[in-house]
Amino acid sequence: MDSYKDSRKELARPYRKAVLKALLVLTIIGAILFSSMNLLKGSYPLAFVEMAMGAYSFIVYRAIRYTPHLERWIIAYLIPFFTAMMFAMATPRATSAVHAWVLLIPIISHLLMGRRLGLAVSVFYMGIAAVIFLFRHLDQPEMMQALPITNIAVISLCILVFSHVYEVTRETSERQLMRIAQTDPLTGLANRARLSDIFERERNRARRYDSPMSVLVLDLDHFKDVNDDHGHETGDVALQHVARIFRECLRATDLAARLGGEEFGILLSNTNSQQALEVADKIRMAVASAPLNINNSVVRLTLSGGVAELGIDGDTLRELVREADLRLYQAKDSGRNQIVPSISSLAATART
């Protein structure tokens, strides 16, 4: 669960929504202005398209206020918007200045669609605009001179490249900041915020496909003694050592997080409580069988834990962590270096 795509999409939504709203308002104003001018000129088809685009922009503006599907509305708006732009360029009565609007395409596309889709849409519509320009002015020598054509092409290419580079840089910085904000700096594991985000996504998936999901809460035994006897630096190395063991024992679809101090939470998707108990025991035995050698001394580590399953022990991360935490303390009280299963695991064991 290393992908931050969903979190970055959520982070990008507010500014994309603000950009789309501004574009819609400008489109409505522009539609009123240009449709009026084209009606006076007798360019009725173009005026009708502009009025229709203005009306559609008003509908989209109202629709995006509370929509959870902003990306769909962006595509549903930009395709007709750019198509109407192409129609305006192809209209015989339109002036040559209308081709200047093509310079907006890469900027708007990248701001609203991101680097991949924005680049694809930009290249597609800018290519169509270039073909329209050539066909419209092929018989006009003054418009087909090498210098003006080269200037237009270079300016268009520069805006396309700058828009794409900006969006690539922005997304890279955003991804790095997201990773920093949702990663424990000492162990490299996810932090509680990341665990909460992924839990919501995986819970929705579990409900949709009627699949199980479990949570483990694990805590190192006598960790205070490690810090007191060997120093806090050794304690930090011990936490990093345990984090490596987690990565070796878990699947790519599982998520290990540091909840605080020496306590860890593990989210196991598509895993019932009995399977989660087996995973927890595998981790427990791996930690116990891999002592830490540091400063010419051997530091033996063990951990205790508790298991909770979605639906049986609770429906929220807070409820599941609380139940698993209670079982963790039962394990501590019972002598440590053990995992206390959930109620469903105990029932399954009793039946067998």
Side-chain angles (χ1 to χ4, degrees):
M1 295 188 185
D2 293 331
S3 174
Y4 288 78
K5 184 177 179 181
D6 291 342
S7 298
R8 285 190 291 113
K9 186 193 296 186
E10 291 296 328
L11 194 63
R13 269 197 188 127
Y15 92 81
R16 285 184 177 169
K17 189 173 185 178
V19 171
L20 180 58
K21 281 186 173 182
L23 179 60
L24 291 168
V25 171
L26 291 173
T27 304
I28 294 169
I29 296 172
I32 295 171
L33 177 63
F34 289 112
S35 63
S36 301
M37 295 172 64
N38 283 309
L39 283 173
L40 293 174
K41 287 173 54 181
S43 298
Y44 299 116
L46 182 55
F48 173 77
V49 169
E50 289 168 340
M51 285 189 290
M53 201 64 222
Y56 182 58
S57 299
F58 179 75
I59 294 171
V60 174
Y61 187 91
R62 292 180 61 85
I64 65 170
R65 288 183 300 175
Y66 307 109
T67 181
H69 306 296
L70 181 66
E71 292 76 16
R72 297 179 189 177
W73 278 108
I74 288 173
I75 295 173
Y77 171 74
L78 286 188
I79 299 304
F81 178 70
F82 291 150
T83 303
M85 192 183 294
M86 299 301 107
F87 179 80
M89 293 177 187
T91 302
R93 292 194 178 188
T95 64
S96 299
V98 73
H99 289 278
W101 287 93
V102 75
L103 300 178
L104 283 177
I105 292 176
I107 300 172
I108 293 172
S109 297
H110 282 87
L111 284 175
L112 292 177
M113 294 180 167
R115 59 189 176 96
R116 289 196 180 92
L117 187 56
L119 179 63
V121 170
S122 297
V123 171
F124 178 75
Y125 278 104
M126 291 178 80
I128 293 176
V131 172
I132 292 173
F133 181 87
L134 292 174
F135 271 96
R136 276 200 63 187
H137 302 292
L138 199 58
D139 57 349
Q140 301 175 19
E142 70 279 5
M143 296 295 295
M144 298 303 295
Q145 295 180 22
L147 186 58
I149 294 289
T150 303
N151 279 328
I152 293 172
V154 170
I155 291 172
S156 300
L157 182 61
C158 285
I159 294 178
L160 175 63
V161 170
F162 292 154
S163 298
H164 187 69
V165 169
Y166 168 80
E167 189 62 22
V168 169
T169 305
R170 188 198 62 78
E171 288 188 9
T172 301
S173 300
E174 198 173 77
R175 184 166 55 251
Q176 290 173 346
L177 290 173
M178 183 68 67
R179 189 177 295 277
I180 291 170
Q182 296 193 338
T183 302
D184 174 59
L186 177 63
T187 62
L189 300 176
N191 60 16
R192 190 181 287 267
R194 174 73 172 157
L195 178 64
S196 180
D197 286 347
I198 297 299
F199 174 84
E200 293 300 323
R201 188 185 75 189
E202 292 301 312
R203 180 178 62 178
N204 292 336
R205 182 178 297 172
R207 288 173 173 172
R208 186 162 60 246
Y209 296 108
D210 193 27
S211 58
M213 185 172 73
S214 298
V215 170
L216 307 177
V217 174
L218 307 174
D219 189 273
L220 288 174
D221 298 325
H222 302 296
F223 188 70
K224 184 177 181 301
D225 294 342
V226 174
N227 282 326
D228 291 344
D229 296 342
H230 302 279
H232 288 279
E233 288 187 6
T234 299
D236 290 345
V237 173
L239 293 173
Q240 294 167 344
H241 173 70
V242 171
R244 283 193 295 271
I245 293 175
F246 288 166
R247 295 188 186 96
E248 293 169 359
C249 294
L250 296 174
R251 305 167 297 179
T253 54
D254 301 327
L255 181 72
R258 185 183 179 195
L259 301 181
E262 67 274 20
E263 188 173 64
F264 301 90
I266 298 178
L267 181 63
L268 302 172
S269 60
N270 199 29
T271 304
N272 60 34
S273 56
Q274 183 62 39
Q275 295 167 328
L277 177 61
E278 294 171 5
V279 173
D281 262 326
K282 176 183 176 182
I283 294 172
R284 180 187 63 79
M285 289 186 288
V287 170
S289 61
L292 182 64
N293 295 291
I294 189 169
N295 296 331
N296 298 319
S297 61
V298 177
V299 180
R300 299 193 177 278
L301 301 169
T302 61
L303 55 76
S304 302
V307 181
E309 183 176 350
L310 180 68
I312 297 172
D313 295 302
D315 291 315
T316 66
L317 180 61
R318 182 188 295 272
E319 292 170 347
L320 293 177
V321 169
R322 183 183 64 226
E323 291 300 315
D325 214 32
L326 290 174
R327 289 161 191 155
L328 162 66
Y329 283 106
Q330 292 177 25
K332 297 278 189 182
D333 293 338
S334 300
R336 295 181 170 81
N337 192 24
Q338 57 185 284
I339 308 295
V340 173
S342 69
I343 297 173
S344 57
S345 291
L346 291 173
T349 303
R351 286 195 298 272
T352 57

